[in-house]
Amino acid sequence: VASSPTEVVLWREAAHGMTVAQVKAAYPTATAPEGKPNAMDNGATVLLTVPGVEVVGRPFKADFFFLNDKLIAVELQPSPLLGMPESEAAYEMIGDALRSKYGAAFKNDDTDKLGLVIRTGIWRNGDADIRTFLAGNKGEAKSRGHLTVTYSTRLSDTAAAL
């Protein structure tokens, strides 16, 4: 939980700016990711992951992204990955849960072109953003859906320190 007014709680016990040791203390089952860690465009990389997190009744993994040794984002995704129909259903349930907790989405975007579905939503919780993302081929039951929920902050490190 955030320990000072400048910290922004991202997800559950994880706050923006926490160190790897602090996240590990808050999530004792967190481990280093296997293989090459995922990275964001800004260079942040996954240094810790927690498997088996329940989200809308399904197992997800939580990836903790760090930049300059500080936590900047938490991303959830189904583990194992889901087929597109199951991904769409989970996306709807996650959206319902977020609407119930935070109200209407700040922004929604749904695209369906030539059978490729891309859906995004953004909710705001104080200085934290919660972004949902779904992409996949509509109507293809065996196709994998790409579903993520990302918790991050809109504040720069400089602004967060004020």
Side-chain angles (χ1 to χ4, degrees), residues 14-15 23 44 56 61 64 72 76 79 98-99 102 109 129 136 141 160:
V23 173
V56 296
K61 72 172 180 160
F64 295 84
I72 67 156
L76 308 176
S79 181
L98 291 171
R99 277 186 291 281
Y102 303 112
D109 189 27
D129 278 354

Side-chain angles (χ1 to χ4, degrees), residues 8-16 18 23 27 40 46 48-50 53 61-66 71-77 129-131 148-153:
V8 177
V9 174
L10 299 174
W11 176 72
R12 297 187 181 174
E13 303 297 319
H16 179 265
M18 290 175 84
V23 173
Y27 298 91
M40 294 181 154
V46 175
L48 292 173
T49 189
V50 176
V53 176
K61 72 172 180 160
D63 286 337
F64 295 84
F65 285 85
F66 292 82
L71 181 67
I72 67 156
V74 180
E75 182 177 88
L76 308 176
Q77 68 176 327
D129 278 354
I130 302 111
R131 297 174 182 267
T148 59
V149 182
T150 306
Y151 295 78
S152 62
T153 181

Side-chain angles (χ1 to χ4, degrees), residues 3-152:
S3 61
S4 75
T6 59
E7 287 185 337
V8 177
V9 174
L10 299 174
W11 176 72
R12 297 187 181 174
E13 303 297 319
H16 179 265
M18 290 175 84
T19 64
V20 170
Q22 289 171 319
V23 173
K24 183 80 172 133
Y27 298 91
T29 61
T31 59
E34 294 180 16
K36 184 178 178 185
N38 290 338
M40 294 181 154
D41 291 341
N42 64 2
T45 57
V46 175
L47 297 182
L48 292 173
T49 189
V50 176
V53 176
E54 186 175 314
V55 177
V56 296
R58 295 188 177 276
F60 277 60
K61 72 172 180 160
D63 286 337
F64 295 84
F65 285 85
F66 292 82
L67 183 65
N68 300 323
D69 300 318
K70 300 291 183 186
L71 181 67
I72 67 156
V74 180
E75 182 177 88
L76 308 176
Q77 68 176 327
S79 181
L81 297 176
L82 303 173
M84 188 57 180
E86 294 86 6
S87 293
E88 287 181 296
Y91 183 90
E92 288 299 325
M93 288 188 284
I94 290 166
D96 289 346
L98 291 171
R99 277 186 291 281
S100 173
K101 187 169 184 177
Y102 303 112
F106 172 76
K107 183 177 180 183
N108 276 315
D109 189 27
D110 292 343
T111 305
D112 186 349
K113 290 185 180 176
L114 303 173
L116 177 63
V117 174
I118 300 174
R119 299 177 69 189
T120 60
I122 302 173
W123 280 262
R124 293 205 161 149
N125 179 27
D127 289 323
D129 278 354
I130 302 111
R131 297 174 182 267
T132 56
F133 176 83
L134 172 68
N137 294 316
K138 189 169 185 76
E140 292 187 27
K142 295 185 190 243
S143 167
R144 295 270 184 228
H146 180 76
L147 170 63
T148 59
V149 182
T150 306
Y151 295 78
S152 62

